[in-house]
Amino acid sequence: MREIDWAALHAAAVSAATKAYTPYSGFPVGAAALVDDGRLITGANIENAAYGVTLCAECSLVSELIMGGGGRLVAFACVNGAGERLMPCGRCRQLLFEHAAPEMLLDTVSGIRTIDQVLPDAFGPRQLEDYAARRDTAGRGEEANG
Ligand code: THU
């Protein structure tokens, strides 16, 4: 696995947090990630008067990932407005999991962790694919019998 420049990722997350739009919580969040093609992407939280519609920093980071051509997340860092490490919320762990490279690493409050450690036994695309494959196989069986 490639060497991760955690200091650079942390600095990018700190810089991203300065772009946050947080008139309601006053709690800026910045996120940064290394993509498997070498891109460094960032995101910040974007709040809304309808509080529940708020976009977490990870949401804008994943938008940048996809709009920039896609790819897999290799390493991730997230900070608050004081530059302190922050754990991605549960919903955002799910968001990150969808786009994670195998063994994706996160700079967390308890050290460097893999995506599987922060979201064990995750639900993901695999469950949908496995189910669809079984359903299609069963469908063919019925046709053969009928
Ligand atoms: N927030 C994030 O951007 N990411 C997280 O993983 C945790 C929470 C934001 C959402 C809201 O704008 C603010 O932090 C306070 O909850």
Side-chain angles (χ1 to χ4, degrees):
M1 178 163 293
R2 83 180 76 197
E3 268 304 300
I4 310 292
D5 186 347
W6 289 109
L9 263 192
H10 184 86
V14 168
S15 168
T18 66
K19 310 240 179 70
Y21 174 75
T22 58
Y24 307 108
S25 73
F27 188 84
V29 179
L34 176 66
V35 184
D36 59 358
D37 64 2
R39 268 146 67 216
L40 177 65
I41 58 171
T42 56
N45 52 338
I46 304 167
E47 298 188 343
N48 192 282
Y51 293 177
V53 188
T54 286
L55 302 177
C56 281
E58 295 85 342
C59 297
S60 64
L61 178 132
V62 166
S63 298
E64 187 180 327
L65 173 72
I66 299 302
M67 294 305 290
R72 294 272 147 197
L73 301 170
V74 170
F76 173 87
C78 185
V79 298
N80 65 17
E84 295 158 346
R85 284 179 184 77
L86 207 61
M87 280 309 281
C89 71
R91 177 181 180 276
C92 288
R93 294 181 205 191
Q94 181 70 31
L95 257 187
L96 296 172
F97 178 80
E98 178 86 14
H99 304 285
E103 301 296 309
M104 173 193 171
L105 298 173
L106 297 89
D107 186 9
T108 81
V109 292
S110 45
I112 304 297
R113 295 282 179 266
T114 67
I115 187 72
D116 294 323
Q117 286 172 319
V118 303
L119 194 66
D121 300 325
F123 174 84
R126 179 77 183 274
Q127 279 65 41
L128 299 181
E129 288 157 14
D130 288 354
Y131 183 81
R134 280 201 306 278
R135 187 188 54 208
D136 294 347
T137 306
R140 272 203 297 284
E142 278 161 28
E143 271 167 35
N145 292 335

